[in-house]
């Protein structure tokens, strides 16, 4: 595997059939699974490792975000990745850079709780698409709203790339793998699986019973209270339409139960997709 830090070097090395996995590093099985899927489908695999400053808010964890290039490079190489693109911030951004805003789907949930976050994501992903020129780019469904923002951007701007959204990889007890799980204390780690327990509990009721709007409001509010009592500070727990992320109360539409909240100083997000056969 080659590690390159400049756009010019990357350009010299990439071919036509590139599978691309954009990441911020601190690899876990979620990242590695995306790399293996790309490896199975393409002549060459490019992984980018860039902790993108523009998608972090002022009081967020940009400076303490876990960084370990050596361990990450070893893990990526073991999955058969050909090239790791790991630019410095100065290689990616000039002064007063142009920014992309994807309307509507960016504005709710993560967008509301992390103002500017999706502009940072959309802009860096668009730049990476132009730099890497992949055939297909692979993303994880754990960041569901991010998938939908990128999908809309690619459609609206006619970016010539195929998108593949892959299932969330979890620990045995259901906790979605995340680089931020490294911040959790042992006590918090024992509590964190309650997110998935709550989401799947709600998802089962939504699919099994024909619930009224009032019953659904109640189930979501009970879920929120349960998580609060377990130690979380929820930002949201909602049932949303799969394409627009607008609140949903009709089980025949493709939807998802979404959660974000803090456990101690760590912010965690997760979702369970309903009727996933229609989802992407
Ligand atoms: P990140 O490094 O957190 O920006 O994540 C890079 C990519 O890996 C994104 O497309 C994420 O959605 C995806 N990803 C992160 N965690 C998981 C997971 N547990 N399962 C599947 N994909 C994931």
């Amino acid at each position: 595997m080659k590690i390159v830090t400049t756009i010019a070097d990357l350009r010299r090395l990439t071919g036509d059939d590139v599978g691309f996995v954009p990441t911020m590093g601190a690899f876990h099985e979620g990242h590695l699974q995306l790399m293996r899927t790309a490896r199975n489908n393409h002549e060459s695999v490019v992984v980018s490792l860039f902790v993108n400053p523009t998608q972090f808010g002022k009081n967020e964890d940009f400076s303490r975000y876990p960084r370990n290039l050596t361990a990450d490079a070893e893990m990526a190489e073991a999955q058969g990745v050909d090239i790791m693109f790991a630019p410095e911030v100065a290689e990616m951004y000039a002064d007063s850079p142009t920014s992309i805003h994807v309307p509507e789907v960016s504005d709710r949930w993560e967008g509301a709780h992390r103002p500017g976050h999706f502009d940072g994501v959309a802009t860096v992903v668009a730049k990476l698409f132009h730099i890497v020129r992949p055939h297909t780019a692979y993303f994880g469904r754990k960041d569901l709203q991010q998938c939908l923002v990128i999908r809309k951007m690619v459609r609206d701007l006619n970016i010539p790339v195929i998108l593949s959204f892959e299932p969330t990889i979890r620990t045995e007890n259901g906790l979605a793998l995340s680089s931020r799980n490294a911040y959790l204390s042992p006590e918090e780690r024992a509590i964190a699986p309650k997110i998935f327990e709550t989401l799947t509990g709600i998802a089962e009721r939504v699919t099994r019973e024909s619930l009224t709007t009032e019953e659904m409001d109640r189930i979501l509010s009970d879920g929120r209270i349960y998580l609060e009592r377990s130690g979380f500070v929820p930002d949201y727990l909602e049932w949303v339409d799969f394409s627009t992320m607008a609140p949903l109360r009709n089980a025949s539409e493709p939807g998802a139960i979404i959660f974000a909240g803090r456990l101690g100083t760590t912010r965690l997000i997760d979702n369970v997709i309903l009727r996933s056969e229609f989802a992407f």
Side-chain angles (χ1 to χ4, degrees), residues 85-266:
F85 177 53
E88 297 291 333
V89 172
E91 181 73 2
M92 291 295 282
Y93 294 111
D95 291 340
S96 311
T98 301
S99 174
I100 296 177
H101 177 71
V102 180
E104 293 186 359
V105 66
S106 285
D107 298 334
R108 300 172 187 273
W109 318 120
E110 287 306 279
H113 287 274
R114 305 181 67 187
H117 169 66
F118 283 126
D119 293 8
V121 169
T123 305
V124 79
V125 169
K127 284 168 69 68
L128 289 166
F129 284 171
H130 289 114
I131 292 166
V132 176
R133 296 188 235 188
H135 176 277
T136 303
Y138 294 84
F139 295 88
R141 294 182 187 181
K142 192 196 71 132
D143 300 288
L144 176 62
Q145 195 173 2
Q146 171 172 283
C147 293
L148 301 178
V149 168
I150 291 166
R151 184 176 67 172
K152 180 166 165 58
M153 174 182 76
V154 162
R155 286 179 181 167
D156 288 356
L157 300 182
N158 307 95
I159 301 179
V161 63
I162 293 169
L163 299 173
S164 190
F165 301 125
E166 302 295 322
T168 301
I169 307 295
R170 302 176 180 281
T171 62
E172 247 171 50
N173 52 18
L175 175 63
L177 297 186
S178 163
S179 305
R180 290 191 168 96
N181 292 351
Y183 303 148
L184 298 172
S185 68
E187 294 75 26
E188 290 167 342
R189 221 164 227 277
I191 297 166
K194 289 184 192 293
I195 299 171
F196 186 61
E197 174 200 318
T198 305
L199 294 176
T200 46
I202 295 171
E204 270 167 32
R205 291 203 61 185
V206 171
T207 39
R208 196 159 26 93
E209 303 166 36
S210 50
L211 299 162
T212 63
T213 302
E214 292 71 32
E215 285 169 329
M216 195 58 215
D217 287 343
R218 182 63 194 272
I219 288 169
L220 289 167
S221 134
D222 287 350
R224 234 169 269 136
I225 292 165
Y226 171 69
L227 289 172
E228 274 166 11
R229 290 197 178 136
S230 304
F232 293 89
V233 181
D235 282 341
Y236 54 81
L237 173 65
E238 253 302 341
W239 180 22
V240 298
D241 177 276
F242 189 78
S243 303
T244 61
M245 303 289 289
L248 186 68
R249 292 292 179 271
N250 175 359
S252 63
E253 300 290 327
I257 314 288
I258 59 170
F259 168 85
R262 274 190 302 107
L263 185 55
T265 57
T266 309

Side-chain angles (χ1 to χ4, degrees), residues 1-15:
M1 187 182 77
K2 289 202 166 59
I3 301 178
V4 299
T5 58
T6 69
I7 295 167
D9 284 346
L10 183 76
R11 279 280 162 73
R12 272 194 284 279
L13 290 170
T14 46

